[in-house]
Amino acid sequence: MKIAVGLSGGVDSSVAALLLKEQGYDVIALFMQNWHDTTGTLYGDCQWKDDLAIAKMVAKKLDIPFHFVDLSSQYSKRVVDYMFSEYSKGRTPNPDVLCNREIKFDVFLKEALSLGADMVATGHYCRKETRVVDGKERYSLLAGVDSNKDQSYFLCQLSQQQLSKSMFPIGELTKPQVRELATNANLPSADKKDSQGICFVGKVDLPVFLQQKLSSSEGDVIDIPESYYTDNIISKACFKGYEGISEDDLPLIASPYSYSKEDGLFAGKHVGAHFYTVGQRRGLNIGGHKEPLFVVGTDVKENIVYTGEGKSHPGLYRKALFIKSDDVHWLNNINGIEENFAFDLLCRIRYRQPLQKARLFKMEEGVYLVFDEPQRGITPGQFAVWYIAEELIGSGVING
């Protein structure tokens, strides 16, 4: 069987290739370049060239064929344009999730198959399980063994077809074990640091990066006092348990807080509401407060940023979120469950967040997730992901 490894120049994909080669597979390396523009990047234009050089050295060390593919046009259209569109609407997208669904396991997968590969392997810390259901193979996506590196969150939008062609060779390993294998094999990537920032773009100064298409526009920062939440029904819902919330309550408690200028006090100026996200602290540059200010809401139409003082400010916490039906994705074929069905599971709303206990309500209009404990920084545009035990069952874009 021929396996195409997405060789990035990092240690994880290098060890994935090493393990497959040792297991006797016919392995080829495929390096993809997805971004050329260096506007806003903090490391200039050399990073991808360094990655390419290391990937070539790894392929030579492992004695496997090396291929290069430029997917920057598709990446720009299917990931970066989506990013700009979401930020312009005051939402905070997750480009890494989109990159996996649209590029690595779609465009890249097709490129690998055109080279004669049967499967694609990546260096993700997750696992795949295959089982037969009604005579057909079904694929489950499981969390990686290393809980500190589990990357199943980033693969939450994959389809059954994409999983059928995917392999995750290091999912049973921890990061220290991966480093050790790379060192023992004298791989050139053994000591390479993990990549940071936006998938294939790198670490960026986000406002500078976004200003390629979104212009700056000065507006007011309004500080919301804690007293605003005293009689707020959404805030009160944070103190209810599951049994205290009825289905009729769901649309209300899953709505974001709604602010106006009259609800707070003028605190300063900002450079454009679409550059800020709920929970953000950096970039406000407003002093004169006992504790730091955090973003609790934005209004891109009126160009207002709303803040709250202190990391425990009630505006940062909510009990529930909503995902529209069109934005709900089930990894396994459980779309047939009846409407108005509720069940308990584990959920996270960002990468590396510890799994949270929640109850999922599947309604005609979409999915509501009600958490056992109030969650900090529920952010429209990000992905909520839910699990049963170790299996990632489904995901969706947070609407509110």
Side-chain angles (χ1 to χ4, degrees):
M1 182 184 291
K2 180 179 284 190
I3 311 297
V5 177
L7 202 62
S8 66
V11 66
D12 299 328
S13 62
S14 300
V15 171
L18 169 68
L19 293 174
L20 292 171
K21 182 76 183 294
E22 290 179 342
Q23 291 165 14
Y25 290 103
D26 180 8
V27 182
I28 63 173
L30 187 53
F31 180 96
M32 65 183 114
Q33 182 185 6
N34 287 352
W35 193 246
H36 294 279
D37 195 339
T38 60
T39 304
T41 57
L42 301 182
Y43 300 115
D45 63 350
C46 297
Q47 190 172 14
W48 80 266
K49 295 178 181 178
D50 292 341
D51 292 341
L52 175 61
I54 294 173
K56 286 182 175 179
M57 289 189 287
V58 170
K60 185 176 181 180
K61 176 73 176 178
L62 296 177
D63 191 26
I64 58 177
F66 183 86
H67 301 271
F68 173 92
V69 60
D70 187 337
L71 303 178
S72 55
S73 175
Q74 297 94 322
Y75 183 82
S76 179
K77 292 176 182 176
R78 297 169 69 167
V79 178
V80 178
D81 285 354
Y82 173 83
M83 275 183 61
F84 285 121
S85 175
E86 286 290 273
Y87 274 109
S88 72
K89 299 170 185 173
R91 292 156 60 88
T92 306
N94 191 311
D96 289 353
V97 174
L98 267 294
C99 179
N100 283 314
R101 186 185 75 189
E102 300 292 327
I103 305 298
K104 289 182 183 175
F105 295 92
D106 190 331
V107 182
F108 178 79
L109 172 60
K110 292 173 182 175
E111 188 73 25
L113 296 178
S114 74
L115 293 171
D118 300 294
M119 304 274 283
V120 162
T122 66
H124 285 99
Y125 286 86
C126 59
R127 296 170 291 157
K128 184 179 86 171
E129 184 179 87
T130 304
R131 57 178 182 263
V132 177
V133 179
D134 296 330
K136 295 182 180 180
E137 286 190 338
R138 299 294 301 174
Y139 307 96
S140 297
L141 181 66
L142 307 181
V145 167
D146 189 337
S147 58
N148 291 320
K149 292 293 295 181
D150 169 38
Q151 293 173 309
S152 56
Y153 177 89
F154 291 129
L155 304 180
C156 67
Q157 288 279 294
L158 296 192
S159 66
Q160 283 289 304
Q161 190 278 329
Q162 289 171 316
L163 281 174
S164 74
K165 295 292 184 181
S166 306
M167 296 179 71
F168 310 109
I170 65 170
E172 299 284 349
L173 303 175
T174 63
K175 186 73 176 193
Q177 289 174 322
V178 167
R179 290 280 186 197
E180 183 179 5
L181 286 170
T183 300
N184 292 341
N186 294 315
L187 296 182
S189 57
D191 296 322
K192 190 171 184 295
K193 293 182 179 179
D194 292 345
S195 60
Q196 294 182 323
I198 301 172
C199 182
F200 291 110
V201 176
K203 202 166 184 179
V204 300
D205 181 327
L206 191 60
V208 173
F209 181 78
L210 293 176
Q211 282 173 29
Q212 295 176 77
K213 292 189 178 181
L214 304 179
S215 60
S216 297
S217 178
E218 189 177 74
D220 292 343
V221 176
I222 304 297
D223 193 37
I224 304 296
E226 292 192 15
S227 59
Y228 168 84
Y229 306 91
T230 302
D231 295 318
N232 189 290
I233 192 168
I234 300 175
S235 183
K236 285 183 175 181
C238 285
F239 302 99
K240 288 186 177 183
Y242 289 144
E243 306 309 323
I245 296 175
S246 70
E247 292 182 4
D248 293 336
D249 294 329
L250 293 174
L252 181 61
I253 66 170
S255 299
Y257 291 109
S258 179
Y259 304 108
S260 67
K261 276 190 172 184
E262 291 71 29
D263 294 323
L265 299 173
F266 175 80
K269 291 289 187 177
H270 62 76
V271 296
H274 41 250
F275 296 139
Y276 299 85
T277 186
V278 173
Q280 180 176 337
R281 171 184 171 183
R282 296 181 183 275
L284 289 168
N285 300 318
I286 297 174
H289 293 263
K290 184 177 180 180
E291 295 186 72
L293 294 182
F294 292 84
V295 176
V296 298
T298 61
D299 183 339
V300 295
K301 290 183 179 180
E302 299 296 328
N303 196 29
I304 301 172
V305 171
Y306 295 99
T307 61
E309 185 175 349
K311 62 183 179 181
S312 60
H313 189 277
L316 293 169
Y317 293 85
R318 284 172 43 211
K319 183 79 170 180
L321 61 84
F322 173 64
I323 300 168
K324 294 179 182 177
S325 292
D326 290 345
D327 292 329
V328 176
H329 175 68
W330 298 98
L331 270 76
N332 266 319
N333 188 25
I334 55 176
N335 281 298
I337 60 176
E338 295 180 2
E339 306 296 349
N340 306 318
F341 187 84
F343 56 99
D344 295 337
L345 36 66
L346 299 171
C347 179
R348 59 168 50 104
I349 57 173
R350 64 181 62 88
Y351 175 52
R352 283 192 174 177
Q353 181 197 29
L355 288 170
Q356 306 291 308
K357 292 181 179 179
R359 178 167 291 179
L360 183 148
F361 294 83
K362 187 175 185 294
M363 312 291 281
E364 184 178 356
E365 65 271 25
V367 159
Y368 294 91
L369 283 167
V370 182
F371 295 92
D372 188 42
E373 298 291 337
Q375 298 297 298
R376 188 180 190 278
I378 292 177
T379 308
Q382 287 285 293
F383 286 87
V385 176
W386 47 93
Y387 300 73
I388 293 180
E390 295 182 296
E391 182 178 357
L392 198 159
I393 298 296
S395 66
V397 181
I398 298 172
N399 183 71

